[in-house]
Amino acid sequence: MNSAVLTWGPLALTPEGAALVAEIEAYLATLPATARPTQPVRDLYRFGSTVQPWHAGFPEPRPTLLDRIAHRPARPVPVTVADHLTLASRYMTAFGWTQGRLWDDQGRVCLLGAQAAVLAHGYGTPTTVVRARIQVMEVLHTTGRPVPSPDAYNDAPTTRQTDIHHLLDWASARALSLGI
């Protein structure tokens, strides 16, 4: 297998990737002009998806008539522990990650800050957050990182944002497998 890397626009492609791109372009050339993309394929977003809000796929909390009469916030949207962890990761992706504080002036959040923001936006309950933190701690200890809390792991100088996202993904998968 040839490990040479070719550049194609902003992307770096292996020869196999370049062959796939050539095949796609050949196919697109066979389409009628009205069915072809309006911009060259190489200028499209490299992951092929559109920007969506961090809570995409989940209903927004909406106050009922009684909530509005009583001047109280809407009931929280029920989410599973796995969903809460996924939303926390998405929130952190959307607003950025920080260490040593819940959030900073630019809106970046730590792990706990992301969980608090998801809760404050009306997704889940405090019980959901506690159960999610238990799952995160289980993953930390299972993977050989015995820390006193998820926040200590978040604030460790060797921890990076990708580490936090992987941790949340693992904890979410664990919670999903447990049905919580």
Side-chain angles (χ1 to χ4, degrees):
M1 180 176 188
N2 187 350
S3 62
V5 176
L6 307 171
T7 58
W8 186 66
L11 303 176
L13 299 174
T14 62
E16 293 82 14
L20 179 60
V21 168
E23 183 180 334
I24 292 169
E25 287 181 333
Y27 166 74
L28 290 174
T30 66
L31 295 176
T34 57
R36 290 185 195 156
T38 57
Q39 63 189 96
V41 175
R42 72 179 130 263
D43 294 334
L44 295 175
Y45 185 66
R46 69 183 276 175
F47 298 116
S49 63
T50 58
V51 176
Q52 297 181 359
W54 64 271
H55 53 78
F58 292 89
E60 289 193 37
R62 301 244 185 249
T64 63
L65 178 59
L66 188 56
D67 292 332
R68 285 180 279 188
I69 291 171
H71 302 288
R72 64 183 182 206
R75 286 188 167 172
V77 173
V79 295
T80 65
V81 169
D83 289 341
H84 171 80
L85 293 164
T86 299
L87 285 169
S89 182
R90 287 184 185 180
Y91 189 90
M92 200 178 308
T93 299
F95 295 97
W97 175 72
T98 190
Q99 289 180 297
R101 61 188 113 196
L102 284 175
W103 58 82
D104 64 12
D105 300 349
Q106 297 158 339
R108 297 178 300 204
V109 293
C110 70
L111 174 57
L112 179 58
Q115 289 186 282
V118 169
L119 180 65
H121 278 87
Y123 294 95
T125 63
T127 303
T128 310
V129 176
V130 169
R131 293 176 73 197
R133 290 179 68 76
I134 291 169
Q135 293 305 307
V136 170
M137 282 302 293
E138 289 289 333
V139 170
L140 284 169
H141 285 274
T142 302
T143 57
R145 296 174 274 192
V147 292
S149 74
D151 310 314
Y153 179 71
N154 181 88
D155 295 340
T158 56
T159 303
R160 301 289 171 249
Q161 183 174 0
T162 56
D163 300 329
I164 299 298
H165 287 293
H166 288 146
L167 175 63
L168 290 170
D169 288 345
W170 289 345
S172 177
R174 185 177 193 284
L176 192 60
S177 72
L178 295 173
I180 56 174

